Amino acid sequence: MQYDLIVIGSGPGGYVAAIRASQLKMKVALVEKAELGGVCLNWGCIPTKSLLKSAQVYNYMKHAADYGITTDCEVKANFPAVIERSRKVAEGMSKGVQYLIKKNKIDHIKGQGRLAGKNTVEVTSDGNNRSTITSKHIILATGAHSRELPSMKQDGKHIIGYREAMTLEKSPESMIIAGSGAIGSEFAWFYASMGTKVTLVEYLDAIVPLEDEEVSAQLARSFKKMGIKVMTGASVEAVKVKDGVCTATVRTKKGEEKMDAGIIMSAVGVTPNTEGIGLEEIGIEKDGEKIKVDEFYRTSAEGVYAIGDIVGGPALAHVASAEGIICVEKIGGLDPEPLDYGNIPACIYTGPEVASVGMTEKYAREQGMEIKIGKFPFSASGKASAAGEREGFVKLIFDAKYGELLGAHMIGANVTEMISEIVVARKLETTGHEMIKAVHPHPTMSEAVMEAAAAAYGEVIHL
């Protein structure tokens, strides 16, 4: 069958691209071998947030007395029910994507898609049934999968990745998590909240190493306070499993240490899904593991595009969606603006939450920039005190000469909802003084943004 556009992969890059193309009156086919919505909706962003919400509610209930609430019964976590709720949430979101695909008159073709020549996609389904479809334009949006280290060969039972971590039958007594990025840190917080003794192992010298140093230090303190053992400058060198117990050899700056745990989880990043999709068939160039594209996601092969985790930007759902829209609008003859990768927000949904955008203080100083820094702690926020969420702060970085907002780094309750204000402010080239004069509602956590801007210019009121 002939289409205007074929999209391979239905994650937040693929299905969004398909819908935008349909809005632009293209005849679209969406090829997906698994559940609609990809990893994000089914095994990533959405179900993990369900798990984290359950953990948050459990923590609230355990500390109800802090809010003047007493109960006559012991609060317990029903771990299988927590997992079941997460899976139902994911299933509901996937059905939502099915509805959107049908509503926008997109042909959903179930199967494994691969490039099979110019303008041609071969789809393999139900074993070895093969069919071909053609289109002038093809978008690859095949996503990524959990990266495996040779020292941590996953068996799906004792040594696991993020998928297995979302469907365990019970919360283990102990767990070692290798890698402290968003995935590792979120699961560390979740399982520690459920009562698991968690050890978080990070190869670099700080957890969440892409974040501002002060944010990283605060999160480490918060983790240690709740009982998580944080090991930085360390790596899991080997794992042996005997009688259901995992023994990890962890290399530290002081030497090797043997550690036992019921489960070891690998959270050391993801690997792009570029194998088996026919790149070699039509000579598509790669840059390392990822596909080389231009600013509108055109590959080296005419009529073939790539977006999301298989190209060079951050492996984030909202990035994939933005790339898909820009790519399709360019195909459709519009004049989209290339994506500004310097203004992409990053969020980590731990307790406290972490959110950031733009330059860190360290990076700005390394570039030789003259900067002003404003920082406002939530301990000085009336809303944070009333909510019992006094941990964390908002930190803003400004260019000293022109007042340009270079970056924002937040750690605290609900900061993943607050970071969008900063993204819009930077998009509109807002200055520090404009932020100070923008009246924020009281009492709110977001007042800390205004106060941090004021702190940078010596005008803060509540410090």
Side-chain angles (χ1 to χ4, degrees):
M1 186 174 289
Q2 175 70 38
Y3 291 93
D4 298 316
L5 175 68
I6 298 170
V7 182
I8 302 177
S10 73
Y15 86 78
V16 168
I19 291 172
R20 185 67 182 117
S22 178
Q23 291 173 345
L24 295 176
K25 310 304 181 186
M26 298 183 201
K27 182 174 176 57
V28 184
L30 181 61
V31 181
E32 172 58 64
K33 66 179 180 179
E35 309 97 333
L36 284 173
V39 168
C40 177
L41 266 66
N42 295 283
W43 296 100
C45 318
I46 304 304
T48 55
K49 302 312 162 283
S50 172
L51 296 177
L52 295 170
K53 185 62 181 182
S54 293
Q56 183 188 51
V57 171
Y58 184 40
N59 284 328
Y60 271 137
M61 294 180 71
K62 287 189 294 183
H63 294 91
D66 296 342
Y67 297 86
I69 307 297
T70 57
T71 60
D72 296 328
C73 58
E74 181 183 359
V75 175
K76 295 182 179 180
N78 183 340
F79 191 79
V82 169
I83 298 297
E84 183 182 3
R85 176 180 183 271
S86 171
R87 299 316 310 154
K88 285 183 177 178
V89 169
E91 182 182 343
M93 293 301 296
S94 184
K95 287 181 178 178
V97 174
Q98 291 178 35
Y99 165 76
L100 292 174
I101 297 306
K102 185 176 181 180
K103 174 187 174 184
N104 286 278
K105 297 179 173 58
I106 297 164
D107 287 352
H108 170 210
I109 301 176
K110 190 170 178 61
Q112 172 73 54
R114 67 182 299 276
L115 300 170
K118 184 176 176 59
N119 306 129
T120 304
V121 171
E122 180 184 79
V123 181
T124 303
S125 60
D126 298 327
N128 290 316
N129 293 330
R130 288 184 170 86
S131 60
T132 59
I133 50 178
T134 59
S135 174
K136 185 178 179 181
H137 304 286
I138 301 167
I139 295 178
L140 304 174
T142 49
H145 62 276
S146 180
R147 186 182 299 277
E148 266 194 67
L149 295 179
S151 61
M152 297 176 62
K153 190 68 176 176
Q154 296 177 26
D155 60 12
K157 185 177 180 181
H158 301 100
I159 307 171
I160 64 173
Y162 62 81
R163 284 197 179 216
E164 292 83 6
M166 279 186 274
T167 55
L168 292 180
E169 294 180 357
K170 62 180 181 178
S171 182
E173 290 186 10
S174 57
M175 176 182 282
I176 296 171
I177 299 177
S180 72
I183 295 172
S185 291
E186 288 177 4
F187 276 109
W189 185 78
F190 170 71
Y191 276 103
S193 297
M194 291 290 108
T196 298
K197 182 180 178 181
V198 175
T199 299
L200 186 60
V201 180
E202 171 55 53
Y203 178 75
L204 298 176
D205 291 331
I207 63 170
V208 290
L210 297 181
E211 300 297 330
D212 185 87
E213 291 177 337
E214 289 189 273
V215 169
S216 172
Q218 174 63 61
L219 187 62
R221 288 193 295 270
S222 298
F223 275 6
K224 290 173 184 177
K225 183 178 177 181
M226 70 180 298
I228 298 173
K229 183 177 181 179
V230 176
M231 301 179 68
T232 55
S235 59
V236 178
E237 296 295 307
V239 179
K240 291 184 178 180
V241 181
K242 185 177 181 181
D243 298 328
V245 176
C246 302
T247 300
T249 301
V250 180
R251 183 181 298 279
T252 71
K253 294 177 181 178
K254 296 180 180 179
E256 288 188 348
E257 181 178 342
K258 301 286 187 182
M259 303 178 64
D260 290 341
I263 294 282
I264 295 183
M265 177 185 172
S266 175
V268 292
V270 296
T271 299
N273 295 326
T274 56
E275 299 298 321
I277 59 174
L279 300 184
E280 302 81 5
E281 186 79 23
I282 55 176
I284 291 179
E285 295 180 15
K286 292 173 66 177
D287 183 6
E289 291 183 317
K290 299 198 173 188
I291 297 172
K292 186 183 294 186
V293 293
D294 68 7
E295 61 185 353
F296 294 111
Y297 311 103
R298 293 173 288 213
T299 71
S300 57
E302 184 182 358
V304 180
Y305 311 78
I307 61 171
D309 296 356
I310 56 174
V311 300
L316 298 169
H318 45 284
V319 171
S321 296
E323 291 173 344
I325 291 171
I326 291 169
C327 179
V328 165
E329 290 184 345
K330 189 66 174 179
I331 291 170
L334 304 184
D335 188 26
E337 181 181 309
L339 187 58
D340 178 5
Y341 287 96
N343 198 32
I344 299 294
C347 297
I348 303 174
Y349 300 84
T350 45
E353 293 180 348
V354 173
S356 63
V357 67
M359 298 182 188
T360 63
E361 177 183 352
K362 180 180 179 182
Y363 179 83
R365 295 195 186 283
E366 287 175 348
Q367 301 307 303
M369 304 182 74
E370 186 179 349
I371 58 177
K372 286 183 179 290
I373 295 175
K375 186 177 173 184
F376 189 81
F378 285 120
S379 59
S381 162
K383 179 62 180 294
S385 292
E389 302 281 6
R390 290 163 52 87
E391 282 186 304
F393 54 84
V394 171
K395 177 179 179 180
L396 302 181
I397 301 168
F398 297 97
D399 174 80
K401 184 176 181 180
Y402 299 107
E404 178 187 359
L405 178 56
L406 301 175
H409 306 277
M410 307 178 183
I411 180 168
N414 300 319
V415 296
T416 59
E417 303 293 340
M418 292 166 52
I419 195 66
S420 296
E421 173 183 355
I422 305 299
V423 177
V424 174
R426 296 187 75 235
K427 177 68 174 176
L428 298 176
E429 300 181 349
T430 301
T431 66
H433 286 296
E434 289 172 330
M435 295 181 70
I436 296 169
K437 300 305 179 184
V439 178
H440 285 59
H442 175 79
T444 59
M445 302 289 282
S446 64
E447 284 177 292
V449 173
M450 177 183 67
E451 295 275 20
Y457 290 90
E459 300 177 22
V460 64
I461 299 297
H462 292 100
L463 277 182

